[in-house]
Amino acid sequence: MRDQPVEVDGITVERDVPIHVGDGTVLRADVFRPTEPGDYPVILAMGPYGMGLHLADGYPANWRRMHESYPEVAHGSTGRYQNWEVADPEKWVPDGYVCVRVDSRGSGRSPGFLDVLTALQARDLYDCIEWAGQQEWSNGKVGLLGISYFAANQWQVAALRPPHLAAICVWEGFADHYREGARHGGIACEFVKGAQARQMFTVQYGMGSRGPTDRNTGRPVAGDVDLDDDVLRQNRRDLYAELLARPVNGAFYQERTADLSRIEVPLLSAGNWGGMGLHTRGNVEGFLAAGSELKWLEMHGDTHFSPFYNDRGLGLQKQFFGTFLKGEQNGWLDRPPVELLVRHPGERFEPRFEQEWPIARTEWTAFHLCPETRELRTSPGASGTLSYQPEHEDLRFRLPPADHDREFTGPAAAKLRISSATTDADLFLSLRLYDPQGTEVTFIGSNDPKVPVGLGWLRASHRRLDTDRSEPYRPVHSHDSIEPLVPGEPVDVDVEIWPTSIVVPAGHVLELGIGGRDYSNQGTRIENAMYPTTGVGPFIHTDPQDRPAEIFGGTVTLHFAPDVQSYLLLPAIPAP
């Protein structure tokens, strides 16, 4: 039942507001608005994580780390309404915005079948936008804001063109469900297996008293009814089981991937260099492919949550939405289309504006893999072969240190000739940085505190390229068929390495790793961590159902010869 509005510290709060969507389902929303009557722009988010679950209750380690690193997040806010990956109403409502949070169907306090990122859910979000745009407290302009899931579904609904949608801010949100969310280079990623178990199924509608409690209302986050486990299982789709059953791209993944060319609204796409495994690629690809005339790309570092909530991130969001939801003349329209926080070791970032992506002055440089020295050189090395056992070792090729700093910012790729002792091989590529003492230099990533410079993946049987979409620096694989290897017979493969940025200081070494398993470092122990943190966070690829040892455990061989293209292509940015 819908609550009566209450006024708390200058904010009118309405709980469990009903929103009737197209098929008659009633979704529930919490609305935070100014107490003064008026017409206000709306900031809206819809997702499956339970709008009543406080960030500190659901994600205590992240809450602590964010406030320790950025005490400013607590300034001007009691934090009582701060939820995972969505805007803090206490930072927005005083500036004249209405904040609306919606539990997607089957989640939190909204009944229905839990099936995420479907076409139906995109229509639900469309209906929520139209509802918000026509309320008496609305000025008719709705903006979408949120991280990850609350960003990914923005691509989908914006392509449907709801009339009251005025702008979107896609903060670390993937765009291509197959290539970014489910299967990296064709290899099944186990992220969704853990995410749905710990973040979605725990707040599925009907968990009721067995689920978490809303600290503000004392009511169950996941509905006022208790459904038994069998009913709950019948009321949801196991997304991980679906992706395991679907190794090639098709209708299932396409339903969850937007036609980006149909997007018309102004957009800000904000990505994270350390978001390899889910979001980095999507923010860049979404920016490039969106049909919007007014669009901006911003790339940052640090954790998944701090850049969104800290003063810099909040300032960007408010300047962007102030322009398109309020009509403010605040200088945003004079902003260049691309802002990059260029990454240096030691978590130092140098902000720089650019006019395009990739950067036009990029010097695309092919560094050849030399088998005799294990170095990366600008000229090919000797003929020969190098082999490795996928589960136990990898091959390393080092770019010799220079006496000056070198910047590499943009997409990267590798071209290799490989053979396998079996009918397939999974290739895991990593870019790593080492200081003059030989110690690896890692970076705070969005989902792991020690990530490498870059990552790339490819299943050799998925090596066919989509030639219409591919570039030498960004190979795109069709993933529409499986072409097994002939054991021992070499084939050429192109491996995409997700966009990156690194200034390699003088004396430092950049290294390419090639192997058959996930990158891993010594790891970091984090209290209340949701998963092990050994360099790739939850984005692991170890499921034996997808990677049976008899196929993916065979010896892999790299082949080299004067007429063989075997190189790492890096985006070198010339010094000013």
Side-chain angles (χ1 to χ4, degrees), residues 122-140:
R123 282 305 303 189
D124 287 348
L125 183 51
Y126 180 110
D127 292 341
C128 291
I129 292 166
E130 292 306 290
W131 173 87
Q134 298 176 69
Q135 298 304 299
E136 61 180 8
W137 34 256
S138 172
N139 71 351

Side-chain angles (χ1 to χ4, degrees), residues 228-558:
D228 65 39
D229 290 343
D230 286 340
V231 174
L232 289 172
R233 280 192 291 270
Q234 293 168 12
N235 284 351
R236 68 190 183 216
R237 184 186 295 274
D238 184 340
L239 193 58
Y240 184 65
E242 299 283 1
L243 74 87
L244 281 180
R246 293 175 168 83
V248 297
N249 205 350
F252 177 83
Y253 299 106
Q254 291 305 309
E255 179 187 355
R256 292 161 172 79
T257 300
D259 180 354
L260 298 167
S261 67
R262 286 186 47 81
I263 297 176
E264 296 180 330
V265 294
L267 71 90
L268 169 60
S269 179
N272 190 322
W273 301 122
M276 301 163 294
L278 192 59
H279 297 313
T280 310
R281 183 185 191 274
N283 280 105
V284 171
E285 293 297 313
F287 165 76
L288 292 173
S292 306
E293 292 185 10
L294 298 172
K295 56 182 180 178
W296 289 264
L297 174 68
E298 184 270 355
M299 297 295 293
H300 54 261
D302 210 308
T303 65
H304 187 47
F305 37 86
S306 297
F308 179 82
Y309 290 106
N310 68 20
D311 285 351
R312 179 185 176 274
L314 186 65
L316 279 177
Q317 297 156 22
K318 286 190 174 181
Q319 188 182 7
F320 172 72
F321 282 122
T323 299
F324 297 109
L325 301 189
K326 289 184 171 184
E328 295 175 350
Q329 303 299 311
N330 57 26
W332 182 270
L333 293 175
D334 299 324
R335 179 185 177 91
V338 176
E339 183 182 16
L340 308 175
L341 298 192
V342 178
R343 186 167 57 178
H344 296 249
E347 305 304 327
R348 184 169 69 87
F349 296 90
E350 177 187 357
R352 189 174 72 214
F353 286 105
E354 300 287 352
Q355 294 299 320
E356 70 286 305
W357 178 275
I359 300 169
R361 64 183 182 281
T362 301
E363 297 176 352
W364 300 103
T365 306
F367 293 99
H368 297 265
L369 281 61
C370 299
E372 70 277 22
T373 63
R374 305 288 183 96
E375 289 182 332
L376 297 167
R377 296 286 190 179
T378 52
S379 58
S383 299
T385 62
L386 291 172
S387 298
Y388 63 88
Q389 300 301 315
E391 291 304 311
H392 306 294
E393 58 184 333
D394 54 11
L395 299 177
R396 309 284 186 89
F397 298 86
R398 293 195 158 200
L399 183 64
D403 60 2
H404 58 278
D405 293 356
R406 292 173 290 181
E407 180 189 340
F408 301 102
T409 296
K415 182 176 283 290
L416 307 170
R417 180 166 291 181
I418 67 109
S419 64
S420 173
T422 68
T423 57
D424 214 338
D426 283 346
L427 302 174
F428 292 77
L429 272 59
S430 60
L431 294 179
R432 315 179 191 199
L433 183 66
Y434 293 86
D435 68 17
Q437 289 72 47
T439 301
E440 184 176 4
V441 179
T442 58
F443 304 86
I444 296 174
S446 61
N447 297 89
D448 194 293
K450 291 183 179 179
V451 301
V453 172
L455 294 173
W457 312 262
L458 181 65
R459 177 158 289 175
S461 59
H462 286 240
R463 62 191 177 277
R464 178 185 294 178
L465 291 174
D466 182 336
T467 54
D468 291 336
R469 298 175 60 191
S470 291
E471 300 286 351
Y473 55 78
R474 191 210 57 190
V476 178
H477 299 86
S478 59
H479 296 298
D480 57 1
S481 63
I482 296 174
E483 299 176 345
L485 302 178
V486 176
E489 184 174 304
V491 297
D492 293 325
V493 297
D494 298 86
V495 184
E496 177 186 15
I497 298 174
W498 283 18
T500 189
S501 175
I502 184 61
V503 174
V504 179
H508 283 57
V509 169
L510 189 66
E511 180 182 87
L512 170 67
I514 303 172
R517 56 185 175 173
D518 288 305
Y519 163 91
S520 180
N521 55 40
Q522 72 274 20
T524 306
R525 186 181 182 279
I526 300 176
E527 184 183 1
N528 300 125
M530 294 184 287
Y531 43 78
T533 50
T534 56
V536 295
F539 309 112
I540 59 174
H541 311 77
T542 61
D543 195 314
Q545 183 176 338
D546 182 66
R547 306 186 64 222
E550 62 270 22
I551 296 177
F552 296 99
T555 301
V556 176
T557 301
L558 272 60

